Amino acid sequence: MGKRVALVLAGCGVFDGSEIHEASAALVHLSRGGAEVKIFAPNIEQKDVVNHLKGSPTEEKRNVLVESARLARGNIQDLAELKASEFDAVIFPGGFGVAKNLCSWAIDGKNCTVNEHVNSTLQAFHSAKKPIGLCCISPVLAAKVFPGCEVTVGQDKNIDGRFPDAETASAIVELGCKHICKNVNESHVDKTNKIVTTCAFMCKAPLHEIFDGIGTMVQEVLKLA
């Protein structure tokens, strides 16, 4: 029987929601791993709506659950309904929506607050000793909720201009967590907390390398489940 995995989205689109390629990669690797997946998102208003062609905010209002339904092909549930007891693992793709809608990292950095349902979901899986997979910016959720945990967002220096957000690693350390430097096609496993992370688009890399890195994260999550 395949592992039961919850996938939590933050909207649809890199600048104001979930990163579409990351969400798709996670779903492909989960499918390949024989997992049974259900998709969730919080039923809240987006922090902002970005015109992805111009890269600038608009005056629109959109709902995170409704927008996430685009990625889920309509098959999605309110995050408030997620019960950790019904799943073996949970995975959070990245995208600015994580830092805007699932928490306030985009504005407040390490002083951010985490959405109540996101926080309770993370706590529930952690308490049940079930694995948590996170990629791109979403490892900051674990860093905020679980002081002392180990995560990666890639490198802590902007090596060859490939890691423009390397300062995120420093913020994670300031939260009392350990940042582990990893390449884009790798993931890190915090065995104590059962947290698996990979940097994905935190690194400027070819899409197939990001896809492969997310694959290692998914594989490690399924091994732990």
Side-chain angles (χ1 to χ4, degrees), residues 121-157:
T121 295
L122 290 167
Q123 295 282 9
F125 277 87
H126 188 259
S127 296
K129 295 181 168 50
K130 294 179 177 181
I132 299 167
L134 308 120
C135 64
C136 195
I137 191 62
S138 64
V140 302
L141 295 172
K144 186 66 182 181
V145 176
F146 307 118
C149 72
E150 299 177 358
V151 299
T152 188
V153 288
Q155 300 291 327
D156 57 9
K157 294 180 178 61

Side-chain angles (χ1 to χ4, degrees), residues 19 22 93-95 134-139 151-156 162-163 165 179-188 196-205 209-214 216-217:
E19 211 297 319
E22 290 177 14
L134 308 120
C135 64
C136 195
I137 191 62
S138 64
V151 299
T152 188
V153 288
Q155 300 291 327
D156 57 9
R162 297 177 74 227
F163 295 89
D165 301 304
H179 180 265
I180 310 297
C181 291
K182 290 285 183 177
N183 292 322
V184 67
N185 59 347
E186 299 175 316
S187 56
H188 175 70
V196 188
T197 50
T198 189
C199 69
F201 278 98
M202 294 291 276
C203 176
K204 290 185 175 180
E209 292 184 13
I210 292 165
F211 181 88
D212 291 345
I214 293 171
T216 68
M217 181 266 286

Side-chain angles (χ1 to χ4, degrees), residues 73-145:
R73 297 171 62 85
N75 190 7
I76 194 168
Q77 292 173 261
D78 187 336
L79 183 59
E81 299 172 5
L82 194 162
K83 294 180 177 63
S85 60
E86 297 178 355
F87 295 90
D88 300 303
V90 64
I91 289 177
F92 290 76
F96 277 100
V98 171
K100 292 178 176 180
N101 304 325
L102 303 192
C103 71
S104 62
W105 187 277
I107 297 167
D108 303 318
K110 62 184 175 61
N111 299 314
C112 71
T113 56
V114 178
N115 171 274
E116 61 173 320
H117 296 303
V118 173
N119 184 70
S120 62
T121 295
L122 290 167
Q123 295 282 9
F125 277 87
H126 188 259
S127 296
K129 295 181 168 50
K130 294 179 177 181
I132 299 167
L134 308 120
C135 64
C136 195
I137 191 62
S138 64
V140 302
L141 295 172
K144 186 66 182 181
V145 176

Side-chain angles (χ1 to χ4, degrees), residues 150 182 187-192 194-197 216 220-221 224:
E150 299 177 358
K182 290 285 183 177
S187 56
H188 175 70
V189 181
D190 177 344
K191 294 180 181 178
T192 301
K194 289 194 172 182
I195 295 170
V196 188
T197 50
T216 68
E220 294 295 341
V221 165
L224 290 171

